[in-house]
């Protein structure tokens, strides 16, 4: 028999933990599924490891996760770690795998809190061995205490500086930092600074990280407008263009980062409506005030909706859970609104700085949509920007037709590292707004599923 | 290269509205619509194709690509034989081989009982003069399919059957049509049709169209379009056959494989990925174009693949999908003239219409031009269910592959 | 160049990579363990046989695919090391001899959803 819960929460990051705690506190039967080995999500990854709880070098925001995870652990709910969710259907069936066994579970409400992933950085050479994302550098550090010395960090956004700062605090040598924030963004974001005033401390913190990098004698180059990775098989140098001139920095590891984008695969495969956010330059899930998606019974909260950061994710998780509890008839509307009030205040505050950050760190067009014909767009099937443009010239119009013609997006990552670029490339070629261009039609399984595990479902469902 | 009369769709201005007209309008740009349009055009008519989404969006673009005569209902065999020949010379018709590979198709028997059934079928076909299905014993089966499980006892082989690339096929037909002057209108869902002065006036989301002849190639939506064209209700059901594809695997099999006792359609592509399908259905909502997968049934499909090819224990499924297909109660399509003048139908291919694409277009070309075709289409008459109480008595036929 | 920092892992396990024995920290992902040993070449791509290693470390890029205990296509960043684990590079289409003709057909010959 398929197990049935009141609420299934997918993801145990700030949004998922907050949602499941809130729901469990009202007596709902809650199942939380997360593919990591412990709760925390991306920001508070591996926070239960003793060495991390002592590590002041990871910064104060990391330590904010300690009470959150603690509260989550204290809650009356079923939490399954190392559980990789591969399907969510519109009729609220969830499929996941753990230890080589696939299972189907059901609930009356689903809260998707799958967070963000890093934005593709389609620059020449980004597929070479030795190139990783800045998030990957952080994961290696938090989870395994593995670091790369003398690496070049290139990109834009708070996470770039946070990661470099963490490296410095731990005494790991950094070769150089290349800031790809377009110069014109500083001016463009200025008017939004007023809205961000409540979070001045955060802006100040960012500025201090930057200063610390300079103080440590690490070359911090701003105004870089193009980067490429050179090397025969692996990274040999990071080349950059600044004030019209190309320079090279020799290194064997490069960490890239252009911000994060919502991890939309589960929501899209379930059929949730999405739309293109111009400011964040990414696909975001369409939700109402209670974070209900367009699919009945499915809420989406946190960075998996649109990028808002950890504190916003936590607030959204709470609000989504209260909305779900109300829909289940567990709390009345006034109770729901009363409990949501504090979350809403918090969310409003977070959204103030978000607009400023969005404008400031919106990556330049040429970094999102490669100019060079031989830059790889689809890493899995190794399809280049040139090949895609040629295919589009043949009159193939949408992302799905492009997929059929060129295999772009057909590899195991299922478009996670090319989908955004493809939407924008088609927008560029057709002149259509990105929202109209659309995205790949996604289907479960959203993660590869061993055929044998699938076959075993035939037996388990008979029991 | 055929030379054609310069006879192309034109425009007429009536009461301020632009109205397109042509000799024939084809509704639906699946493979059958595109093939029909091509053959009508080759017959010298001007042709417009109206498609509610885009060409190849539905069954024709997302199917398993199986090109088989193997296991066809007797009514379809003659037509399927002609189609097989057309597939062999596909490039002559559409300037592209459509990715067709004559890899052979085998239907595996998993028990002596199943093998006996196969013997009877092959004998029956031979008695009607069809020698394409050949029995193979355990040894030859193993030679052809080294990876097959030892419990399999034999099978039926059709040497020149194989598979092609569905979306590429629809595209090749569409392009060929366009080169010859056929006009395609995407996003043009037909919402109404009426007769006036011996012509059909057809309303769509993209304006109105006029023609003397209309061909309904609307797949799973064929019943609705038929109703617009004045037919009594047709029992065509929208179903959603499901498929799954694996990550690349080492090459282990060439022919396309089906099973006698269970539904299976199984093939490995040159790039190493393996496509597994069969008759298992998800849910189809033809109104919204939505389909949903049924994992309990996919699981049965996976188990079948695993039983027949133990190497599949290494496989990882990377994508699953379902397509919307029109299925008739007797599992054979509707092909032929409609009740009203100038109307023709070809829909409801019941999950095995891909291989028939080229020939059905040819048949309709003949029908429209000469009023009759070179093949017997009696069994496919649209009115065949009209006075029968229980339409499902014909029972199930094999599908997929 | 990747290295490990901080106190060495309390517990460790032995694994084999391409036939070489190595001792790595318990609880690490296979990807982190190999990177910590300075290994960045995890696989060759099926289309052009290019060398690849982990990119995202969070299970979304599929560039860290390895053959682990005989099972191909596993994400090294999502699998924990275990005692006696046998790890191999993944070559192309999980096919030892990458056939250039196969690479050429890779853009054709599959159906899509
Ligand atoms: C690599 C990376 C590093 C980051 N580091 C920081 C940082 O240091 N500081 C900061 O302020 N922000 C960081 N962020 C931004 C981060 O998105 C937010 O700060 C915050 O973590 C968002 O919370 P969330 O709950 O919405 O999502 P997340 O914290 O991302 O949590 C989502 C959870 O869902 C799980 N999940 C996703 N898909 C599945 C699936 N299919 N099956 C099962 N489980 C699944 C994940 O394992 C994860 O635990 C980082 C983002 C990324 C991508
Ligand atoms: C998953 C799957 C696997 C299959 N595998 C095989 C196989 O291996 N071998 C095989 O031989 N067959 C197979 N089939 C069956 C085969 O795909 C179909 O029989 C065949 O493609 C039907 O073609 P069609 O042109 O009739 O329909 P479709 O391709 O569905 O085309 C009908 C078109 O009509 C359009 N339309 C509908 N209503 C309107 C309207 N009102 N106005 C305008 N346009 C309209 C639709 O949008 C659609 O594009 C499979 C089918 C599926 C779904
Ligand atoms: S490194 Fe990206 S999936 Fe493992």
């Amino acid at each position: 028999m398929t197990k049935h819960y009141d609420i299934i929460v997918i993801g145990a990051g700030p949004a998922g933990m907050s949602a499941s705690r809130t729901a469990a506190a009202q007596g709902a039967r809650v199942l939380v599924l997360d593919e990591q080995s412990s709760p925390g999500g991306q920001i508070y990854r591996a926070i239960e490891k003793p060495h991390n709880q002592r590590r002041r070098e990871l910064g104060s925001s990391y330590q904010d996760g300690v009470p959150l995870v603690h509260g989550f652990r204290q809650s009356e709910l079923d939490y399954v770690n190392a559980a990789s969710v591969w399907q969510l259907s519109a009729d609220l069936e969830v499929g996941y795998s753990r230890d080589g066994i696939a299972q189907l579970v059901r609930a009356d409400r689903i809260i998707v809190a799958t967070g963000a992933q890093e934005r593709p950085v389609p620059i020449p050479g980004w597929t070479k061995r030795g190139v990783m994302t800045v998030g990957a550098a952080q994961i290696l550090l938090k989870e395994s205490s593995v670091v790369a010395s003398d690496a070049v960090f290139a990109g834009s956004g708070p996470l770039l500086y946070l990661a470099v700062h963490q490296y410095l605090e731990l005494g790991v040598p950094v070769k150089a930092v290349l800031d790809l924030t377009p110069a014109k963004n500083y001016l463009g974001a200025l008017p939004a600074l007023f809205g961000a005033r409540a979070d001045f401390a955060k802006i100040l913190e960012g500025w201090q990280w930057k200063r610390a990098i300079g103080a440590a004698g690490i070359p911090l180059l701003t105004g870089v407008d193009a980067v490429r990775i050179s090397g025969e098989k692996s990274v040999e140098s990071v080349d950059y263009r600044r004030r019209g001139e190309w320079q090279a920095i020799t290194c064997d590891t490069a960490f890239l980062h252009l911000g994060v984008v919502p991890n939309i695969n589960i929501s899209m495969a379930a059929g949730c409506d999405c739309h293109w956010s111009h400011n964040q330059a990414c696909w975001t899930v369409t939700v109402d005030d209670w974070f209900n998606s367009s699919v009945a019974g499915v809420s989406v909260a946190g960075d998996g909706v649109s990028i808002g950061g950890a504190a916003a994710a936590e607030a959204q998780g709470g609000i989504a859970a209260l909305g779900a509890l109300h829909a289940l008839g567990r709390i009345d509307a006034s109770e729901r609104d009363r409990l949501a009030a504090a979350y809403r205040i918090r969310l409003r505050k977070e959204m103030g700085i978000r607009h400023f950050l969005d404008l400031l760190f919106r990556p330049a067009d040429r970094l999102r949509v490669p100019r060079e014909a031989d830059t790889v767009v689809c890493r899995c099937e190794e399809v280049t920007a040139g090949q895609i443009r040629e295919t589009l010239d043949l009159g193939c119009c949408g992302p799905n037709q492009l997929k059929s013609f060129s295999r772009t997006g057909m590899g195991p990552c299922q478009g996670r590292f090319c989908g955004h670029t493809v939407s924008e490339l088609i927008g560029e070629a057709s002149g259509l707004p990105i929202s109209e261009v659309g995205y790949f039609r996604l289907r479960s399984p959203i993660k590869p599923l061993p055929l044998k595990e699938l076959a075993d479902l035939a037996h388990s469902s008979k029991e | 290269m055929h030379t054609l009369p310069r006879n192309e769709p034109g425009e007429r201005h009536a009461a301020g509205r632009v109205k397109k007209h042509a000799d024939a309008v084809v509704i639906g740009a699946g493979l059958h619509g595109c093939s029909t349009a091509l053959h009508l055009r080759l017959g010298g008519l001007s042709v417009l194709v109206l498609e509610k989404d885009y060409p190849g969006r539905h069954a024709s673009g997302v199917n398993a690509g199986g090109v088989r005569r193997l296991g066809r209902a007797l009514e379809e065999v003659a037509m399927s034989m002609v189609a097989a020949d057309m597939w062999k010379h596909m490039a002559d018709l559409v300037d592209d081989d459509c990715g067709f590979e004559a890899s052979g198709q085998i239907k595996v028997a998993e028990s002596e009982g199943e093998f006996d059934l196969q013997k009877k079928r092959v004998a029956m076909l031979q008695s009607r003069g069809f020698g394409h299905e050949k029995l193979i014993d355990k040894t030859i089966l193993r030679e052809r399919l080294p990876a097959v499980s030892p419990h399999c006892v034999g099978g039926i082989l059709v040497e020149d059957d194989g598979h092609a690339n569905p979306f590429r096929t629809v595209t090749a037909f569409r392009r060929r049509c366009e080169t010859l002057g056929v006009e395609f209108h995407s996003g043009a869902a037909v919402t109404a049709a009426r007769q006036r002065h011996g012509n059909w006036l057809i309303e769509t989301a993209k304006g109105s169209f006029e023609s003397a002849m209309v061909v309904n190639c609307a797949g799973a939506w064929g019943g609705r379009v038929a109703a617009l064209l004045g037919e009594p209700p047709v029992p065509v059901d929208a179903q959603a056959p499901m498929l799954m594809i694996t990550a690349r695997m080492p090459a282990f099999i060439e022919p396309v494989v089906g099973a006698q006792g269970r539904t299976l359609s199984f093939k490995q592509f040159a790039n190493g990925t393996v496509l597994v399908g069969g008759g298992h259905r998800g849910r189809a909502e033809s109104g919204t174009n939505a389909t949903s997968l049924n994992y309990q049934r996919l699981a049965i499909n996976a188990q079948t693949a695993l039983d027949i090819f133990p190497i599949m224990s290494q496989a990882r499924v990377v994508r699953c999908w379902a397509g919307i297909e029109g299925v008739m109660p007797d599992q054979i399509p509707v092909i032929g003239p409609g009740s009203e003048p100038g109307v023709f139908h070809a829909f409801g291919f019941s999950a095995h219409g891909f291989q028939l694409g080229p020939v059905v277009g040819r048949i309709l070309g003949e029908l429209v031009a000469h009023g009759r075709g070179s093949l017997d289409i009696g069994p496919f008459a649209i009115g065949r269910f009209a006075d029968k109480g229980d339409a499902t008595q014909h029972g199930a036929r094999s599908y997929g592959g | 160049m990747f290295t490990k920092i901080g106190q060495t892992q309390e517990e460790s396990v032995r694994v084999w990579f391409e036939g070489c024995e190595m001792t790595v920290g318990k609880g690490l992902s296979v990807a982190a363990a190999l990177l910590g040993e300075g290994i960045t070449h995890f696989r060759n791509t099926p289309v052009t046989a290019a060398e690849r290693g982990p990119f995202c470390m969070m299970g979304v890029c599929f560039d860290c695919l390895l053959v682990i205990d005989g099972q191909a296509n596993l994400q090294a960043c999502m699998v924990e090391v275990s005692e006696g684990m046998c790890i191999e590079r993944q070559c192309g289409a999980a096919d030892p001899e990458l056939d250039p003709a196969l690479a050429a057909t890779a853009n054709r010959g599959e159906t899509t959803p």
Side-chain angles (χ1 to χ4, degrees):
Chain A
M1 269 302 290
T2 310
K3 273 204 192 154
H4 200 109
Y5 286 85
D6 293 326
I7 299 179
I8 294 175
V9 178
I10 307 173
M17 287 190 291
S18 164
S20 49
R21 274 176 71 177
T22 307
Q26 297 294 329
R29 281 170 22 88
V30 180
L31 171 68
V32 185
L33 300 168
D34 192 291
E35 63 189 351
Q36 293 187 28
S37 56
S38 60
Q42 296 308 345
I43 174 164
Y44 310 130
R45 186 180 269 271
I47 197 164
E48 291 182 325
K49 292 207 173 176
H51 63 263
N52 279 343
Q53 301 213 344
R54 289 192 304 269
R55 250 188 203 155
R56 289 193 37 251
E57 300 90 340
L58 292 176
S60 64
S61 64
Y62 186 68
Q63 302 307 334
D64 288 348
V66 175
L68 184 62
V69 174
H70 182 73
F72 173 74
R73 287 290 196 186
Q74 300 295 307
S75 298
E76 283 271 338
L77 45 79
D78 291 351
Y79 160 61
V80 184
N81 71 345
S84 176
V85 175
W86 44 262
Q87 98 131 344
L88 165 61
S89 67
D91 62 351
L92 312 191
E93 182 185 66
V94 174
Y96 71 95
S97 287
R98 185 177 199 270
D99 283 342
I101 298 171
Q103 293 193 53
L104 297 174
V105 282
R106 287 187 167 273
D108 295 331
R109 298 280 315 192
I110 309 286
I111 299 176
V112 178
T114 47
Q117 64 157 73
E118 264 161 298
R119 177 192 294 283
V121 191
I123 57 166
W126 71 307
T127 54
K128 286 193 202 307
R129 176 158 77 73
V131 181
M132 295 177 86
T133 65
V134 164
Q138 268 201 319
I139 292 168
L140 279 166
L141 170 62
K142 291 176 189 170
E143 217 166 56
S144 322
S145 301
V146 169
V147 296
S149 39
D150 294 319
V152 171
F153 286 72
S156 180
L159 216 56
L160 174 76
Y161 285 104
L162 171 61
V164 174
H165 186 70
Q166 288 168 338
Y167 257 42
L168 293 185
E169 289 284 296
L170 288 162
V172 185
V174 170
K175 191 80 175 251
V177 179
L178 307 177
D179 191 324
L180 290 160
T181 311
K184 68 173 182 11
N185 285 13
Y186 289 96
L187 213 62
L190 213 54
L193 194 56
F194 183 72
R197 68 197 178 284
D199 250 335
F200 207 70
K202 250 188 214 159
I203 298 169
L204 197 68
E205 190 180 29
W207 183 72
Q208 280 165 345
W209 290 339
K210 243 180 167 168
R211 227 180 42 164
I213 293 168
I218 294 162
L220 166 61
L221 302 161
T222 53
V224 174
D225 68 353
V227 200
R228 62 173 182 236
I229 312 290
S230 298
E232 201 189 327
K233 288 182 168 167
S234 60
V235 183
E236 288 167 21
S237 74
V238 174
D239 310 339
Y240 64 95
R241 192 175 65 189
R242 195 165 175 247
R243 297 189 192 120
E245 247 175 69
W246 282 95
Q247 307 269 347
I249 308 173
T250 315
C251 62
D252 65 6
T253 311
F255 293 120
L256 307 178
H257 181 75
L258 287 178
V260 298
V261 297
N263 188 344
I264 48 176
N265 286 52
I266 288 187
S267 317
M268 270 205 183
C272 302
D273 287 346
C274 291
H275 62 272
W276 177 261
S277 156
H278 175 80
N279 280 357
Q280 296 198 339
C282 63
W283 288 98
T284 57
V285 182
T286 309
V287 290
D288 67 11
D289 279 353
W290 295 95
F291 295 90
N292 292 302
S293 75
S294 63
V295 174
V298 176
S299 323
V300 188
D303 273 5
V305 177
S306 62
I307 303 307
E314 203 179 321
Q316 293 180 5
I319 296 170
L322 292 167
L325 288 164
H326 175 62
L328 291 174
R330 290 194 163 263
I331 54 174
D332 61 24
S334 63
E335 179 73 348
R336 175 197 64 181
D337 297 350
R338 190 181 65 77
L339 291 171
Y343 289 130
R344 293 214 183 268
I345 292 170
R346 188 134 172 235
L347 188 56
R348 210 166 305 129
K349 172 171 173 254
E350 289 300 319
M351 286 313 169
I353 187 164
R354 184 53 44 185
H355 186 53
F356 170 72
L357 295 176
D358 287 347
L359 295 178
L360 183 58
F361 296 120
R362 191 172 193 277
D365 293 349
R366 62 161 297 133
L367 291 172
R368 302 194 318 275
V369 186
R371 298 272 141 262
E372 313 78 6
D374 52 1
T375 301
V376 171
V377 170
C378 169
R379 299 174 63 94
C380 297
E381 297 294 332
E382 304 185 79
V383 187
T384 63
Q387 287 169 320
I388 293 177
R389 287 198 171 97
E390 273 168 32
T391 312
L392 293 174
D393 284 346
L394 292 176
C396 130
C397 26
N400 297 301
Q401 287 115 303
L402 179 69
K403 190 161 144 182
S404 304
F405 276 113
S406 66
R407 286 193 63 83
T408 309
M410 274 224 219
C413 98
Q414 303 187 333
R416 286 173 173 88
F417 273 105
C418 66
H420 280 82
T421 319
V422 162
S423 291
E424 292 210 76
L425 272 165
I426 297 177
E428 175 196 83
S430 65
L432 288 174
I434 310 297
S435 264
E436 255 172 66
V437 168
Y439 194 77
F440 296 130
R441 195 156 52 239
L442 296 180
R443 288 281 200 171
S444 63
I446 57 127
K447 301 234 156 167
L449 171 65
L451 184 97
K452 200 170 165 338
E453 283 186 33
L454 175 55
D456 286 341
L457 277 178
H459 315 300
S460 59
S461 61
K462 270 191 227 125
E463 282 157 22
Chain B
M1 180 75 197
H2 305 256
T3 40
L4 291 169
R6 286 177 47 85
N7 190 4
E8 294 185 352
E11 281 181 8
R12 230 174 254 160
H13 299 263
R17 286 180 70 198
V18 178
K19 197 188 305 157
K20 294 238 167 194
H21 66 88
D23 298 332
V25 157
V26 176
I27 302 175
L31 182 55
H32 290 283
C34 293
S35 173
T36 300
L38 176 60
H39 285 93
L40 292 174
R41 183 73 193 115
L42 291 174
L45 302 184
S46 62
V47 186
L48 282 164
V49 183
L50 307 178
E51 165 54 51
K52 72 178 167 62
D53 296 308
Y54 59 79
R57 162 69 176 85
H58 293 290
S60 300
V62 304
N63 64 56
V67 176
R68 71 171 167 89
R69 286 163 286 173
L70 175 55
R72 291 227 167 240
L74 197 58
E75 297 92 324
E76 285 182 354
V77 174
M79 177 163 84
S80 182
M81 298 296 276
V82 178
D85 198 54
M86 294 175 82
W87 275 102
K88 248 193 249 171
H89 305 103
M90 196 55 117
D92 296 344
L93 187 62
V94 294
D95 290 343
D96 184 10
D97 66 12
C98 300
F100 175 62
E101 276 172 53
S103 57
Q105 288 224 8
I106 294 177
K107 184 176 269 186
V108 171
E110 294 182 82
S111 67
E112 290 300 337
E114 288 180 10
F115 199 39
D116 284 343
L117 276 177
Q118 293 192 327
K119 285 178 191 155
K120 285 192 191 125
R121 166 156 173 109
V122 169
M124 181 274 288
L125 282 174
Q126 267 163 359
S127 74
R128 317 258 167 151
F130 297 117
H132 58 290
E133 294 197 9
K134 302 214 163 51
L135 272 183
I136 53 173
D137 63 11
K138 201 166 177 156
T139 321
I140 303 179
L141 181 70
R142 202 117 304 131
E143 252 168 45
R144 292 297 185 117
L145 304 174
V148 81
S149 162
H151 79 274
C152 299
V153 296
I156 302 180
L157 163 72
V158 177
E159 204 73 71
D160 291 338
D161 277 357
H163 59 87
N165 183 325
F167 195 75
R168 181 170 158 191
T169 305
V170 183
T171 304
F173 272 81
R174 171 181 57 82
R175 286 231 187 106
R176 185 78 189 110
C177 281
E178 284 174 338
T179 331
L180 297 176
V182 173
E183 253 181 44
F184 282 77
H185 294 263
S186 290
V190 173
T191 51
R194 67 191 161 89
Q195 281 169 288
R196 203 184 57 183
H197 312 313
N199 271 351
W200 282 94
L201 283 182
I202 298 165
E203 299 296 335
T204 77
K206 290 261 171 88
S208 43
F209 299 85
E210 186 172 4
S211 68
M213 248 85 73
V214 187
V215 190
N216 167 16
C217 294
W221 300 264
R224 291 187 206 183
V225 172
L228 296 180
L229 297 171
E231 299 297 339
V234 189
V236 56
D237 186 24
Q239 296 193 1
M242 300 183 288
L243 293 173
M244 50 188 150
I245 194 144
T246 71
R248 290 176 163 88
M249 299 178 72
F252 66 89
I253 179 175
E254 234 176 80
V256 180
V257 174
Q260 178 65 38
R262 317 191 235 180
T263 72
L264 177 71
S265 146
F266 188 96
K267 70 174 75 66
Q268 183 172 34
F269 294 101
N271 64 23
T273 59
V274 178
L275 184 68
V276 184
H280 296 283
R281 307 286 155 97
R283 202 158 45 88
E285 283 160 35
S286 48
T288 57
N289 282 351
T291 56
S292 56
L293 301 166
N294 180 326
Y295 272 92
Q296 310 279 11
R297 289 200 212 131
L298 276 174
I300 300 171
N301 203 183
Q303 186 63 53
T304 306
L306 205 54
D307 288 347
I308 296 181
F309 294 105
I311 188 178
M312 292 300 283
S313 64
Q314 288 283 315
R316 300 177 88 76
V317 178
V318 292
R319 279 192 313 281
C320 296
W321 68 93
I324 302 183
E325 166 73 326
V327 178
M328 299 298 292
D330 55 0
Q331 313 276 347
I332 55 174
V334 168
I335 305 172
S339 320
E340 299 291 329
V343 173
F344 300 87
H345 302 281
F347 64 86
F349 285 86
S350 307
H352 45 257
F354 181 63
Q355 191 256 5
L356 300 176
V359 72
V360 169
R362 178 190 283 183
I363 293 172
L364 283 165
E366 293 167 351
L367 269 182
V368 172
H370 315 297
R372 63 190 168 78
S374 50
L375 288 159
D376 174 23
I377 52 166
F380 311 119
I382 191 162
R384 67 186 186 272
F385 298 107
D387 7 283
K388 295 201 187 104
D390 177 17
T392 54
Q393 63 190 335
H394 294 257
R397 298 258 163 74
S398 64
Y399 9 64
Chain C
M1 184 61 194
F2 284 96
T3 49
K4 283 164 284 188
I5 53 159
Q7 67 279 64
T8 43
Q9 218 77 26
E10 303 81 28
E11 288 179 81
S12 58
V13 294
R14 269 176 323 156
V15 300
W16 276 262
F17 177 70
E18 293 284 310
C20 297
E21 184 180 336
M22 46 185 71
T23 305
V24 299
K26 196 179 169 186
L28 297 193
S29 67
V30 173
L34 294 184
L35 287 172
E37 297 298 313
I39 296 160
T40 56
H41 177 193
F42 281 45
R43 68 174 186 127
N44 291 85
T45 59
V47 184
T48 67
E51 293 181 6
R52 292 273 175 93
F55 179 67
C56 75
M57 287 303 290
M58 58 175 284
V60 288
C61 75
F62 292 78
D63 257 324
C64 60
L65 299 179
L66 287 172
V67 182
I68 300 177
D69 291 332
Q71 176 82 48
N73 287 314
L74 288 182
Q75 284 173 282
C77 68
M78 302 299 285
V79 177
E80 262 186 33
V81 289
S82 63
E83 182 63 31
M85 190 179 252
C86 183
I87 308 163
E88 289 155 287
R89 284 201 177 103
Q90 178 155 319
C91 294
D95 190 344
E97 257 92 50
L98 187 94
D99 176 357
L102 188 145
T105 60
N107 286 341
R108 292 280 185 174
E110 188 191 297
T111 90
T112 29

